[in-house]
Amino acid sequence: MNWIYQPWPWYVAGPLIGLIIPTLLLLGNKSFGISSSLRHVCAACIPANIKFFKYDWKKEIWNLFFVLGIGVGGFLTMQLMPNSRAINLNPKLIDELSTYGITDYSNLVPMQLFSWENLFTLKGMIMLVVGGFLVGFGTRYAGGCTSGHAIMGISNLQWPSLVATCCFMVGGFLMANVILPIILTL
């Protein structure tokens, strides 16, 4: 049982993720992606006369069960297999983050950034509220999320997915190396 607590190597996890695509295509020409499930939920729950939400969402109900399974699986893992060890980070990253006052690595995310107390600070508002808006806007503008474009779209040789994935990578690089240090100094 000890093997399940460790991160799986890329040569195991990568092919398992990669096998999702042919399985979905063989099981009914299904498209993999997480962000589309929010559209399905809105189409099911909001009876408004909005063109974007007027489609047969019931054909995609499997996607809602998939996302529900991710949430239930995460919850069960936290309850049945808790991990009390601190997050293992590179010592250089720990030194750099300590200059910004981030020293608590007891959770999956630093509590100095992601907590209810921090939400109502300028740093917290930018990180959580503005960041959440930008992720949602970018997902809608790109026509999907990273999992949909990088895993499904590229494997189907779709040019827009390659462009979107390259933009995700450039945006992540700029955020981590240019914008985040500025926000953390606030």
Side-chain angles (χ1 to χ4, degrees):
M1 190 71 178
N2 209 16
W3 62 272
I4 204 160
Y5 286 98
Q6 305 300 322
W8 291 5
W10 64 268
Y11 52 84
V12 173
L16 285 175
I17 293 170
L19 287 173
I20 291 173
I21 305 309
T23 304
L24 287 174
L25 292 174
L26 290 173
L27 290 177
N29 203 22
K30 305 285 186 196
S31 181
F32 177 73
I34 303 299
S35 62
S36 58
S37 62
L38 181 59
R39 180 182 182 210
H40 305 324
V41 168
C42 290
C45 297
I46 301 174
N49 194 13
I50 301 171
K51 183 179 175 185
F52 184 68
F53 296 132
K54 294 189 102 178
Y55 68 97
D56 187 13
W57 61 269
K58 293 176 185 171
K59 286 183 181 177
E60 303 296 329
I61 199 161
W62 70 271
N63 197 308
L64 295 175
F65 283 108
F66 181 78
V67 172
L68 180 67
I70 291 172
V72 169
F75 176 78
L76 289 175
T77 301
M78 295 263 317
Q79 297 303 314
L80 301 175
M81 299 186 322
N83 186 358
S84 59
R85 292 178 291 180
I87 303 297
N88 187 14
L89 294 175
N90 186 309
K92 290 181 183 178
L93 179 60
I94 291 173
D95 291 340
E96 182 179 348
L97 290 175
S98 67
T99 63
Y100 299 115
I102 300 170
T103 56
D104 182 8
Y105 306 107
S106 60
N107 290 308
L108 290 176
V109 293
M111 294 309 291
Q112 287 97 347
L113 294 178
F114 301 100
S115 65
W116 288 108
E117 296 82 30
N118 198 34
L119 176 62
F120 298 107
T121 64
L122 179 61
K123 188 187 313 183
M125 196 65 90
I126 291 171
M127 295 281 289
L128 298 173
V129 177
V130 175
F133 172 78
L134 289 174
V135 167
F137 176 79
T139 299
R140 177 66 189 108
Y141 187 72
C145 58
T146 2
S147 61
H149 281 299
I151 298 171
M152 185 73 183
I154 291 178
S155 66
N156 285 329
L157 303 177
Q158 295 177 0
W159 174 252
S161 290
L162 179 63
V163 171
T165 302
C166 290
C167 290
F168 293 150
M169 298 305 285
V170 168
F173 177 80
L174 287 173
M175 179 62 198
N177 294 292
V178 178
I179 300 169
L180 183 62
I182 295 170
I183 294 171
L184 291 177
T185 58
L186 296 176

